Amino acid sequence: AQSVTQLDSHVSVSEGTPVLLRCNYSSSYSPSLFWYVQHPNKGLQLLLKYTSAATLVKGINGFEAEFKKSETSFHLTKPSAHMSDAAEYFCVVSVGPNFNKFYFGSGTKLNVKP
Amino acid sequence: SQTIHQWPATLVQPVGSPLSLECTVEGTSNPNLYWYRQAAGRGLQLLFYSVGIGQISSEVPQNLSASRPQDRQFILSSKKLLLSDSGFYLCASLRKTGYTFGSGTRLTVV
């Protein structure tokens, strides 16, 4: 069975400080892992994805995530938060013969304080 | 590149009324199409997926149904809405280049 757990429903950071959004997964198969961001009234946007290549994945807008199989984690980080990073972030596991099924975490709302 | 049009953006419907949410895809052909729902405090849950015209798979039993009358059209329906149908509904398309999501419909059943 597949599942994704985002450990924090809300994270609040000050502008210019590091961001850490935590994600743990459970999968019966070798998964692909994704982070998506959703800004208010906009569609989901792909930040980055892990597909069994390098374990440290760099994405857009300065975000990166590290796949740690031993810890079944895929935490999202950014060295310095911007006000524009305030949004909801989803960790996603994709499985299936064509990776055609997605399982979403419950989401983490990131608040960035000035 | 793929673009997904999903409407309406918000919808308030009374209990017992019918529902029809439409999703159309541009910029690709023969995509896999998906309907997801996010209920309050929960992650996105896969409701239906379709690998072709007229082919619908349901992931969870519910008060909803889906149809795919054309290659790039995916419709989510209900004959009688329940309060528990409230939530945020997302249409998604999968091609070799990856997933594309619509902007979603926020449905409130009152």
Side-chain angles (χ1 to χ4, degrees), chain A residues 45-61:
Chain A
Q45 180 184 21
L46 178 66
L47 280 179
L48 49 81
K49 62 181 179 181
Y50 165 76
T51 55
S52 75
T55 56
L56 181 62
V57 182
K58 294 187 183 297
I60 62 171
N61 301 335

Side-chain angles (χ1 to χ4, degrees), chain A residues 96-113:
Chain A
N98 296 310
F99 295 102
N100 58 355
K101 288 191 179 183
F102 262 8
Y103 296 88
F104 284 75
S106 54
T108 299
K109 289 188 177 177
L110 176 64
N111 178 45
V112 181
K113 298 174 290 186

Side-chain angles (χ1 to χ4, degrees), chain A residues 34 36 38 41-44 49 88 90 94 98-107, chain B residues 32 34 36 38 41-46 49 51 59 88 90 94 97 99 101-103:
Chain A
F34 304 75
Y36 281 86
Q38 186 173 28
N41 300 317
K42 292 193 175 180
L44 285 171
K49 62 181 179 181
E88 188 162 19
F90 291 92
S94 179
N98 296 310
F99 295 102
N100 58 355
K101 288 191 179 183
F102 262 8
Y103 296 88
F104 284 75
S106 54
Chain B
N32 287 355
Y34 304 81
Y36 288 90
Q38 181 183 19
R42 294 183 167 183
L44 282 165
Q45 180 186 35
L46 178 61
Y49 70 94
V51 298
E59 284 293 297
F88 184 72
L90 263 181
L94 174 66
T97 49
Y99 274 91
F101 291 86
S103 53

